């Protein structure tokens, strides 16, 4: 019985360590965020462009000044005035350069403009931000798939 | 057949000739009237503006730089700001009376700071404002040959007070005459006799417009007749509102250098640094008063005359009940309040202006730039621009003191860009500020010296399964035949350093290690990296390019470094934000564009090595705390025989590149450290950049390594340094001699879980 308890304890410890990181620390060839790990349901939902846009527009900045500019950018985006939307997002970007909400919108805007490579680059740059939520991370990953 | 001259025939002939003459004269005047009023009058030169500074809650800003900018915009320090253009800064609080710009209304605002961060912004009612916008400064224009400068106003933009004042002073009967008014002439005559001085002119506004449009100021009957004909024709062709608007846009107000200031829109900007709808009544009175004699009543040259004339205009307004007695008493005692001349120079910052001009020429015809009234909003930060120019000049003075007069004609160039979005914030093309002519920032194409090394090392690090920062490079004697000649590169200290870790070779800037690495990687791989970084030139196939014989202009070089500083995202550098037409619609924008060219992890490694230049290499001199705070990194460069001194470095959100040298390419006594780095240092010390944005790279881990053999070490071991590695590429072998000191070494992943994990995985700590 003692022996069994020891085995269970060791196995539990292994389980904890295995859960603490999915990175084995030796695999240097894979640098992309594993998109396929997200649930298929969510993937299906975000494959709907309108839903995706709605979700992105729900994500806002913490900064009230940036919120105001983002609101104006979102209005332009809805009117399909992409140049003005971009101009507003760049204004916001000059105020804060570390906001996931801005990278998401820039990635989405470039996607709408047909600039897929740029869209992907903005998403990738957004993923380098230290403080973004998992939902922002998930949405940014969508643009890596372009 | 005999031709008989009769008197009636002669009269008829003369009559016909006179008629033809007058018809031709009227036709000519008519042509000139319509072509001028529909053509030249509406041609407005493109204006080039600095970026408008937006102050928003949460923004990091150096308050000293903000105050400098306010002073550059001719804001005056007042204890209690109560008029546009005044401010006060004390105890982390800025009280500012904005002049207003575009959608920013003028008014009093209070901005409170928490260190370098804006805490909150409140208007004069105590209500919070999200952001406020300062007006930009005009840095130049694209003027037509006639050099007339104006800001075109449309009818709704003309303030009622301006209309009332113009009509009260210049032509009270304007809406009731047909261009020429005998009544106006006689009334003006009587009024002037009563006043004992010239209060009013006899010419109608239409006549004045005709006069300013076509004719010289000579007082002849011939001119008066032509003026009268032109006035009648103007009245015939145009409505009263159109005539009045043309007058408001066309009247000559002042001469500023080669530039002629026309119209009230430009007059408001030129004399008061604001738009016409922000003018107070006394300011309007001053401008309207100047119409009578722009030179005689120029407020700068003849302030007494101007004050007297302004007060006369105010008294006319008072007599015609446009202002009350108390208003009159208050207004007439006010100072003229014109902005100092530095706000209105013709062209400032020629090197930056040059970059903008080249960019504009790609998309606009010269004629459009000189006539369409385009508004060009650039990325120029006037405070950084001034500091950059001053740093170049100041450093040159310091170097002359140190090395003597042989550096009298030392030249230089410097460019500062925003790392995050590629905006060019400042550019200088000479050590003499505001010097026109050869713009070295874009035209001095010189060997970049060791500035090339990070490109070579990055080529290696990007090949991360073969190279890391601890990879040992060979810095022993190299001798090879290139182009039929024996090529034997030297190190700056004329020594060989044997086997050295890659990062040490970079921050020590060893030439031979770099040349050997370049040769090992091959020209094709290096060319690939050059083009990923944004260098469009082909790499010449000779080995000396690996140690810096490769030539670039400062602008080309900083473009490549922008990709490094920007975490591997290539961002085309931009001097212009957007271009708007006269209606404020965006005609062309230069959007923020990025392309991921290099993975951020190898970039993090090269940035680390560049940071070591500051910690222990050729750019040492800053505290570790400061270097970490700014996430600073850089590289010095010195070309053959010290003909070129380079430095490129990033600190906070700014990347700055500096070149120093002689135009005739002769030798200097300078290295990258003793020359260009000093300019960089003077600049950065003055502007004090804000903290750098950080990135999250979970696949980077730090490991203590030895500075000589590059193998794993520990915090307690001598000669060890915490070095970043892409996970899976870090050295694992600990030499026997360091097993003891490294056993207790603190590693960066110091969590209990990681330590246990290492034990379970059997790794060495």
């Amino acid at each position: 019985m003692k022996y069994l308890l020891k085995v269970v304890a060791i196995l539990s410890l292994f389980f904890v360590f295995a859960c603490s990181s999915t990175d084995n620390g030796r695999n240097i060839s894979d640098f992309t965020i594993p998109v396929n790990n997200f649930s298929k349901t969510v993937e299906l939902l975000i494959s709907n462009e309108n839903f995706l846009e709605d979700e992105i527009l729900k994500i806002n900045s913490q900064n009230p000044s940036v919120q105001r500019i983002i609101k104006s950018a979102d209005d332009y985006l809805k009117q399909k005035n992409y140049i003005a939307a971009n101009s507003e997002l760049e204004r916001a970007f000059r105020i804060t350069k570390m906001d996931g909400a801005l990278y998401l919108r820039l990635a989405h805007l470039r996607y709408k403009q047909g600039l897929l490579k740029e869209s992907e680059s903005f998403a990738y740059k957004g993923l380098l931000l230290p403080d973004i939520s998992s939902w922002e991370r998930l949405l940014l990953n969508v643009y890596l798939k372009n | 057949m005999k031709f008989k001259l009769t008197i009636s025939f002669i009269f008829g002939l003369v009559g016909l000739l006179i008629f033809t003459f007058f018809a031709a004269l009227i036709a000519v005047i008519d042509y000139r009237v319509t072509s001028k009023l529909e053509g030249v009058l509406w041609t407005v030169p493109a204006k080039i503006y600095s970026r408008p500074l937006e102050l928003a809650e949460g923004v990091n800003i150096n308050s000293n730089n903000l105050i400098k900018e306010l002073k550059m915009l001719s804001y005056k320090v007042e204890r209690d700001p109560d008029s546009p253009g005044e401010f006060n800064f004390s105890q982390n609080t800025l009280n500012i009376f904005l002049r207003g710009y575009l959608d920013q209304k003028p008014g009093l605002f209070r901005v409170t700071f928490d260190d370098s961060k804006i805490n909150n912004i409140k208007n004069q009612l105590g209500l919070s404002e999200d952001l406020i916008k300062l007006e930009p400064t005009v840095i130049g224009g694209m003027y037509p040959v006639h050099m007339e400068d104006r800001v075109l106003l449309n009818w709704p933009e003309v303030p009622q007070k301006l209309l009332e004042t113009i009509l009260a002073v210049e032509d009270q009967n304007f809406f009731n005459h047909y261009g020429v008014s005998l009544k106006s002439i006689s009334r003006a005559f009587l009024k002037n006799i009563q006043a004992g001085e010239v209060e009013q002119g006899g010419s109608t506004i239409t006549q004045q417009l005709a006069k300013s449009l076509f004719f010289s100021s000579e007082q002849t009957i011939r001119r008066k007749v032509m003026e009268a004909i032109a006035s009648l024709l103007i009245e015939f062709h145009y409505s009263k509102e159109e005539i009045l608007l043309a007058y408001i846009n066309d009247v000559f107000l002042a001469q500023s250098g080669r530039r002629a200031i026309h119209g009230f829109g430009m007059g408001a900007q030129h004399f008061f640094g604001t738009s016409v709808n922000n003018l107070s009544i006394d300011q309007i009175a001053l401008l309207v008063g100047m119409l009578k004699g722009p030179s005689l009543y120029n407020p700068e040259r003849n302030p007494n005359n101007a004050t007297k004339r302004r007060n006369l205009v105010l008294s006319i307004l008072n007599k015609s009940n446009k202002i009350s007695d108390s208003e009159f008493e208050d207004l007439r005692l006010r100072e003229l309040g014109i902005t100092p001349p530095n706000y209105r120079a013709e062209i400032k910052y020629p090197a930056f202006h040059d970059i903008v001009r080249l960019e504009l020429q790609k998309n606009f015809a010269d004629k459009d730039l000189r006539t369409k009234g385009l508004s060009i909003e650039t990325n120029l930060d006037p405070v950084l621009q001034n500091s950059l120019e001053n740093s170049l000049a100041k450093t040159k003075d310091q170097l002359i003191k140190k090395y003597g007069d042989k550096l009298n004609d030392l030249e230089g160039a410097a460019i500062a860009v925003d790392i995050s979005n590629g905006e060019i914030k400042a550019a200088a093309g000479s050590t003499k500020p505001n010097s026109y002519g050869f713009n070295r920032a874009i035209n001095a194409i010189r060997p970049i010296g060791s500035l090339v090394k990070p490109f070579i090392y990055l080529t290696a690090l990007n090949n991360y399964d073969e190279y890391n920062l601890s990879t040992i490079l060979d810095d022993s004697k190299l001798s090879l035949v290139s182009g039929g000649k024996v090529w034997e590169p030297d190190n700056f200290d004329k020594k060989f350093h044997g086997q050295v870790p890659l990062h040490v070779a970079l921050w020590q800037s060893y030439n031979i290690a770099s040349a050997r690495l370049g040769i090992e990687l091959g020209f094709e791989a290096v060319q690939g990296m050059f083009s990923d970084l944004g260098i469009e030139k082909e790499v010449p196939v000779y080995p000396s390019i690996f140690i810096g014989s490769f030539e670039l202009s400062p602008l080309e070089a900083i473009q490549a470094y922008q990709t490094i500083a920007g975490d591997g995202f290539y961002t085309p550098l931009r001097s212009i934000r957007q271009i708007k037409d006269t209606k404020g619609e965006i005609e062309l924008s230069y959007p923020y564009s990025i392309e991921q060219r290099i993975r951020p992890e190898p970039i993090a490694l090269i940035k680390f090595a560049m940071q070591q230049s500051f910690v222990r290499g050729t750019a040492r001199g800053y505290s570790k705390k400061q270097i970490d705070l700014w996430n600073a990194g850089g590289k010095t460069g010195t070309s053959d025989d010290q003909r070129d001194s380079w430095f490129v470095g990033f600190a906070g959100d700014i990347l700055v590149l500096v070149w120093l040298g002689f135009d005739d390419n002769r030798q200097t006594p300078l290295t990258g450290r003793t020359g260009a780095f000093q300019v960089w240092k003077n600049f950065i010390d003055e502007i004090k950049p804000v903290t750098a944005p950080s990135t999250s790279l979970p696949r980077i881990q730090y490991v203590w390594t030895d500075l000589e053999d590059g193998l794993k070490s520990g915090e307690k071991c001598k000669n060890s340094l915490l070095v970043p590695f892409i996970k899976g590429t870090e050295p694992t072998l600990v030499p026997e001699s360091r097993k003891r000191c490294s056993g207790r070494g603190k590693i960066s992943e110091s969590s209990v879980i990681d330590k246990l994990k290492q034990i379970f995985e059997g790794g060495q700590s």
Side-chain angles (χ1 to χ4, degrees):
Chain A
M1 190 62 188
K2 255 186 179 179
Y3 177 75
L4 192 66
L5 277 172
K6 267 185 188 173
V7 169
V8 170
I10 289 168
L11 281 175
S12 307
L13 263 173
F14 266 109
F15 180 73
V16 167
F17 293 135
C19 290
S20 68
S21 168
T22 53
D23 189 353
N24 64 13
R26 287 288 181 271
N27 180 10
I28 58 166
S29 59
D30 177 22
F31 279 87
T32 52
I33 310 290
V35 176
N36 293 331
N37 286 0
F38 297 119
S39 89
K40 288 286 171 201
T41 321
V42 173
E43 282 230 43
L44 277 173
L45 285 169
I46 57 184
S47 65
N48 177 334
E49 216 177 283
N50 291 333
F51 172 79
L52 182 64
E53 184 165 307
D54 287 347
E55 284 306 306
I56 286 169
L57 300 193
K58 275 181 206 165
I59 293 175
N60 215 328
S61 171
Q62 298 290 317
N63 182 317
S65 316
V66 175
Q67 282 172 8
R68 187 178 119 185
I69 301 175
I70 279 182
K71 165 83 175 57
S72 159
D74 291 350
D75 290 344
Y76 284 126
L77 182 73
K78 283 175 198 160
Q79 295 159 22
K80 299 198 188 319
N81 186 347
Y82 299 140
I83 291 175
N86 180 70
S87 177
E88 289 298 275
L89 289 177
E90 286 198 37
R91 264 182 81 197
F93 188 77
R94 288 182 199 106
I95 294 171
T96 172
K97 292 166 178 170
M98 305 291 287
D99 206 317
L102 291 177
Y103 281 99
L104 257 175
R105 280 167 173 81
L106 282 165
H108 183 64
L109 181 63
R110 293 295 184 269
Y111 174 77
K112 299 286 269 186
Q113 290 174 306
L115 303 167
L116 302 187
K117 194 152 189 176
E118 247 186 66
S119 167
E120 191 178 324
S121 293
F122 274 114
Y124 194 23
K125 201 164 184 187
L127 285 166
L128 298 180
L129 295 177
D131 299 314
I132 53 168
S133 68
S134 51
W135 184 235
E136 283 173 318
R137 188 172 292 278
L138 186 146
L139 290 172
L140 282 165
N141 268 286
V142 173
Y143 296 93
L144 294 185
K145 297 175 81 182
N146 288 322
Chain B
M1 198 172 71
K2 246 187 169 181
F3 192 75
K4 222 175 173 182
L5 284 174
T6 61
I7 292 175
S8 59
F9 178 77
I10 291 167
F11 271 114
L13 192 63
V14 171
L16 186 67
L17 283 173
I18 292 171
F19 175 78
T20 311
F21 173 76
F22 274 104
L25 181 70
I26 290 169
V28 168
I29 296 173
D30 188 58
Y31 173 75
R32 288 177 70 178
V33 163
T34 48
S35 61
K36 187 96 180 186
L37 275 171
E38 279 159 27
V40 178
L41 178 55
W42 308 108
T43 64
V44 182
K47 288 275 164 33
I48 304 174
Y49 297 93
S50 68
R51 58 99 186 88
L53 179 63
E54 289 192 300
L55 302 178
E57 280 184 24
V59 164
N60 277 312
I61 188 164
N62 179 331
S63 54
N64 287 331
N65 290 349
L66 173 61
I67 290 165
K68 275 185 206 164
E69 179 149 356
L70 290 174
K71 288 184 176 167
M72 288 169 78
L73 289 170
S74 299
Y75 274 74
K76 282 190 297 184
V77 179
E78 288 288 336
R79 203 171 156 194
D80 294 306
D82 62 356
S83 304
E86 295 177 354
F87 80 101
N88 180 283
F89 186 87
S90 66
Q91 294 175 334
N92 281 338
T93 303
L94 171 75
N95 287 303
I96 182 166
F97 206 118
L98 291 179
R99 294 192 183 105
Y101 172 70
L102 297 180
D103 52 345
Q104 174 64 59
K105 297 263 184 299
L108 185 63
F109 296 90
R110 170 175 290 223
V111 185
T112 50
F113 291 80
D114 189 0
D115 288 330
S116 62
K117 203 172 198 174
I118 294 179
N119 216 4
N120 65 56
I121 303 172
K122 289 191 172 164
N123 62 21
Q124 57 199 109
L125 300 172
L127 301 172
S128 283
E129 294 270 338
D130 293 329
L131 54 90
I132 54 172
K133 193 191 281 181
L134 288 174
E135 58 275 23
T137 181
V138 179
I139 62 168
M142 311 294 268
Y143 300 103
V145 183
H146 53 66
M147 290 299 286
E148 285 182 14
D149 195 4
R150 54 170 62 82
V151 172
L152 219 51
L153 298 177
N154 294 313
W155 193 248
E157 294 165 319
V158 180
Q160 188 61 27
K161 277 282 173 221
L162 176 65
L163 284 178
E164 286 174 4
T165 312
I166 291 172
L167 293 175
V169 177
E170 295 298 326
D171 192 352
Q172 291 177 5
N173 204 29
F174 175 69
F175 287 100
N176 301 317
H177 61 64
Y178 296 99
V180 184
S181 168
L182 288 174
K183 203 173 151 190
S184 295
I185 294 169
S186 44
R187 194 190 51 239
F189 181 72
L190 285 173
K191 276 220 166 185
N192 293 343
I193 285 181
Q194 278 169 6
E197 60 179 323
V198 183
E199 261 193 12
Q200 287 184 14
S203 297
T204 63
I205 280 177
T206 320
Q207 280 173 290
Q208 290 182 51
L209 181 64
K211 182 176 144 189
S212 73
L213 288 178
F214 317 106
F215 307 107
S216 65
S217 56
E218 54 174 339
Q219 297 280 341
T220 62
I221 293 177
R222 181 173 158 268
R223 201 212 75 183
K224 286 279 175 198
V225 170
M226 288 178 65
E227 202 179 287
I229 295 169
S231 303
L232 292 170
L233 286 168
I234 290 171
E235 292 276 345
F236 176 72
H237 281 296
Y238 303 101
S239 70
K240 286 286 182 186
E241 282 79 9
E242 284 171 327
I243 294 167
L244 197 50
L245 190 62
Y247 178 80
I248 285 167
N249 280 317
D250 186 61
V251 283
F252 172 72
L253 284 171
Q255 190 70 33
S256 173
R258 288 167 58 229
R259 198 163 55 116
I261 307 300
H262 281 259
F264 285 90
M266 191 68 232
Q269 261 191 20
H270 181 75
F271 287 108
F272 302 109
T274 189
S275 56
V276 72
N277 49 15
N278 292 329
L279 292 179
S280 55
I281 298 173
D282 56 310
Q283 290 171 328
I284 288 173
L286 177 72
L287 292 180
V288 173
M290 286 171 66
L291 295 174
K292 193 169 162 285
S295 180
L296 183 66
Y297 300 113
N298 184 299
E300 198 176 45
R301 270 178 279 157
N302 301 309
N304 291 338
N305 288 355
T307 310
K308 213 173 145 194
R309 178 72 188 158
R310 179 199 67 177
N311 291 349
L312 185 65
V313 173
L314 288 172
S315 76
I316 293 170
L317 292 178
N318 178 234
K319 281 178 206 163
S320 54
N321 295 323
K322 305 286 186 221
I323 54 172
S324 66
D325 290 347
S326 61
E327 271 181 303
F328 172 62
E329 283 306 316
D330 170 46
L331 294 171
R332 78 183 187 87
L333 294 174
R334 284 195 188 173
E335 287 181 11
L336 293 177
I338 57 164
T339 55
N342 69 336
Y343 190 64
R344 36 189 152 100
E346 206 168 285
I347 290 182
K348 291 177 192 164
Y349 320 128
F352 190 91
H353 195 273
D354 215 22
I355 295 171
V356 171
R357 188 180 52 79
L358 288 175
E359 198 60 55
L360 288 171
Q361 282 173 350
K362 290 180 192 164
N363 296 301
F364 292 92
D366 193 56
K367 191 183 162 212
D368 290 344
L369 290 171
R370 295 181 191 283
T371 58
K372 282 177 75 180
L374 298 172
S375 185
I376 298 151
E377 189 181 305
T378 70
N379 290 314
L380 182 120
D381 181 323
V383 174
L384 297 197
Q385 178 67 38
N386 265 21
S387 299
L388 198 61
E389 288 180 353
N390 293 343
S391 302
L392 266 171
K394 179 179 161 186
T395 311
K396 184 180 167 181
D397 289 345
Q398 290 167 344
L399 293 172
I400 290 172
K401 270 185 197 158
K402 191 171 174 186
Y403 296 98
D405 291 346
K406 62 185 168 192
L407 289 184
N408 273 349
D409 51 349
L410 182 74
E411 271 303 345
I415 304 170
V417 304
D418 187 321
I419 291 169
S420 56
N421 56 13
E423 292 183 342
I424 302 176
K425 296 286 179 193
S430 169
T431 48
K432 297 179 239 12
N434 289 320
S435 161
Y436 291 83
F438 188 56
N439 180 3
R440 291 157 197 84
I442 49 177
N443 296 321
I445 297 164
R446 310 289 290 245
I448 58 172
S450 298
L451 250 54
V452 80
K453 286 175 188 158
F455 307 161
I456 313 289
Y457 286 72
L458 184 58
T459 313
L461 293 170
N462 202 33
N463 193 1
Y464 41 77
D465 45 5
E466 285 186 33
Y467 294 91
N468 61 37
L469 286 174
S470 280
T471 303
I472 294 298
L473 301 183
D474 184 3
D475 191 59
S476 61
K477 188 174 178 180
L478 172 69
S479 181
L480 52 89
V481 179
S482 169
K485 289 179 183 171
V486 177
W487 183 66
E488 289 183 347
D490 255 345
N491 282 320
F492 188 76
D493 60 4
K494 308 288 179 200
K495 290 177 186 166
F496 303 112
H497 305 92
Q499 306 285 299
V500 284
L502 185 145
H503 68 95
V504 178
L506 179 60
W507 52 260
Q508 291 284 24
S509 208
Y510 294 151
N511 284 336
I512 307 170
S514 174
R516 282 182 184 277
L517 179 63
I519 292 163
E520 198 173 295
L521 294 163
F523 288 100
E524 207 178 312
V526 173
Q527 168 78 68
M529 178 53 71
F530 276 36
S531 89
D532 281 349
L533 289 168
I535 297 169
E536 287 165 5
K537 283 178 182 167
E538 267 204 24
V539 180
V541 185
Y542 44 82
S544 62
I545 65 124
F546 299 131
I547 57 169
S549 63
F550 188 60
E551 292 181 343
L552 288 176
S553 72
L555 188 64
E556 288 170 323
I558 200 170
Q559 173 70 77
Y561 272 96
Q562 164 71 25
T563 311
I564 293 177
D567 297 319
F569 291 85
Y570 166 75
T571 305
L573 299 183
R574 304 171 291 157
S575 59
I576 306 172
R577 274 185 193 173
Q578 56 192 12
I579 297 170
K580 288 183 176 168
D581 61 18
T582 46
K583 288 176 190 155
E585 300 291 327
I586 298 174
E587 183 125 331
L588 185 67
S589 70
Y590 294 74
Y592 171 25
S593 157
I594 58 170
E595 185 188 335
Q596 201 224 332
R597 297 254 179 109
I598 306 156
R599 291 191 180 282
E601 289 84 0
I603 291 283
L605 305 187
I606 202 76
K607 281 169 97 171
F608 169 83
M610 288 174 72
Q611 189 169 75
Q612 294 310 303
S613 300
F614 277 87
V615 179
R616 61 191 79 225
T618 46
R620 64 196 173 276
Y622 284 98
S623 69
K624 182 76 173 65
K625 191 182 162 196
Q626 191 62 72
I627 294 165
D628 287 343
L629 189 72
W630 281 338
N631 199 12
K635 186 75 195 82
T636 49
T638 314
S639 69
D640 262 1
D641 299 328
Q642 295 176 235
R643 294 174 200 280
D644 304 275
S645 162
W646 294 88
F647 186 76
V648 62
F650 41 87
D653 54 357
I654 289 283
L655 171 71
V656 187
L657 180 138
V658 183
W659 168 83
L660 292 179
F662 289 115
D663 282 344
D664 61 5
N665 202 24
R666 66 181 189 273
Q667 201 172 350
T668 74
L670 306 172
T671 61
R673 176 174 169 79
T674 58
F677 175 57
Q678 304 307 316
V679 178
W680 191 93
K681 204 165 178 294
N682 280 333
F683 174 67
I684 291 292
D685 289 350
E686 191 175 326
I687 63 155
K688 293 190 173 49
V690 291
T691 315
S694 58
T695 49
S696 160
L697 292 173
R699 283 162 202 275
I700 290 289
Q701 79 172 52
Y702 283 77
V703 175
W704 288 99
T705 62
D706 187 76
L707 279 169
E708 281 174 14
D709 60 26
L711 297 176
K712 197 165 181 183
S713 186
E715 189 181 7
K716 299 274 169 69
C717 302
K718 277 184 187 169
N719 240 0
S720 64
L721 179 70
L722 201 54
V723 175
F725 292 89
I726 296 170
K727 277 185 184 172
T729 71
E730 69 277 14
T732 49
L733 182 67
V734 186
E736 203 57 45
S737 59
R738 289 202 297 272
K739 277 208 166 144
R740 221 172 147 185
C741 62
S742 65
R744 290 165 191 265
K746 189 181 153 192
I747 55 169
S748 64
E749 289 179 317
S750 55
S751 68
V752 177
I753 288 178
D754 284 334
K755 279 183 180 172
L756 285 169
K757 194 177 156 203
Q758 282 183 8
I759 295 163
F760 274 97
E761 284 176 355
Q764 290 164 308
S765 59

